[in-house]
Amino acid sequence: MRIVVIDDHPIFRRGLTLSLEEAEDLTVCGEGASAAEALTLARDLRPDVLLLDLSMPGGGLTVLPSLCRENPGMRVAILTASEDSENLMAALAAGASGYIVKGIGTRSLIEAVRAIAGGEGYVAPTLAARVLGEKRREVPERGLNLLTGREDEILRLVAEGHSNKEIARLAGLQEKTVKHHMTRILQKLNARNRTEAALILRGQDRT
């Protein structure tokens, strides 16, 4: 899997690259320090995953929508020291597939990048727990109860990290039907994307 790392602190960026390359299946194919470089490297290198610093020159959240729109096959994970839940929700709403907090250990980092590359979402566990609490306050408990049996099945497959195409195969549906169900699920849960919907489900399962 090919990774691009964007962070404006050279020493941290280099350390991150060395940590990722401890895994035989991960290769850092490019490094950059700004929003402009992120756009260029994404276009030229076509990585599987781009790790994007939140507070670099040009702004991670500012460039994120363009990165996702111009590179639909690439997954973007925010890399940040911020544990602000508003930044997390803004990143997910803008298209991020993951939210990695700096200070993460090498093994956890590698597992997170693998999960993101494989189609799953990733949110730093401590931050996910906080957001789950907030979402439980925002979303009526009946939200999940409003899901049909088929919608519940699809949401659980999403939470396991399956793509719409994989869900269609597993559930015996057409992919466009899965997309229709996902739209209804997001509306019922007041969730902005599939990662947020999966977080809501996991939070309910833990209560």
Side-chain angles (χ1 to χ4, degrees), residues 3 33 57:
I3 318 297

PDB file of all heavy atoms in Angstrom, residues 3 33 57:
ATOM      1  N   ILE A   3       1.631   5.211   0.535  1.00  0.00           N
ATOM      2  CA  ILE A   3       1.218   6.257   1.461  1.00  0.00           C
ATOM      3  C   ILE A   3       1.928   7.567   1.131  1.00  0.00           C
ATOM      4  O   ILE A   3       3.123   7.571   0.803  1.00  0.00           O
ATOM      5  CB  ILE A   3       1.561   5.878   2.923  1.00  0.00           C
ATOM      6  CG1 ILE A   3       1.237   4.407   3.213  1.00  0.00           C
ATOM      7  CG2 ILE A   3       0.868   6.822   3.895  1.00  0.00           C
ATOM      8  CD1 ILE A   3      -0.205   4.043   3.088  1.00  0.00           C
ATOM      9  N   ALA A  33       4.665  19.294   2.812  1.00  0.00           N
ATOM     10  CA  ALA A  33       4.528  20.126   4.001  1.00  0.00           C
ATOM     11  C   ALA A  33       3.416  21.159   3.911  1.00  0.00           C
ATOM     12  O   ALA A  33       3.287  21.991   4.806  1.00  0.00           O
ATOM     13  CB  ALA A  33       5.860  20.833   4.278  1.00  0.00           C
ATOM     14  N   PRO A  57       0.469  24.715   6.707  1.00  0.00           N
ATOM     15  CA  PRO A  57       0.166  25.863   5.842  1.00  0.00           C
ATOM     16  C   PRO A  57      -0.890  25.517   4.795  1.00  0.00           C
ATOM     17  O   PRO A  57      -0.787  24.502   4.119  1.00  0.00           O
ATOM     18  CB  PRO A  57       1.518  26.155   5.183  1.00  0.00           C
ATOM     19  CG  PRO A  57       2.522  25.686   6.184  1.00  0.00           C
ATOM     20  CD  PRO A  57       1.918  24.445   6.796  1.00  0.00           C
TER      21      PRO A  57
END
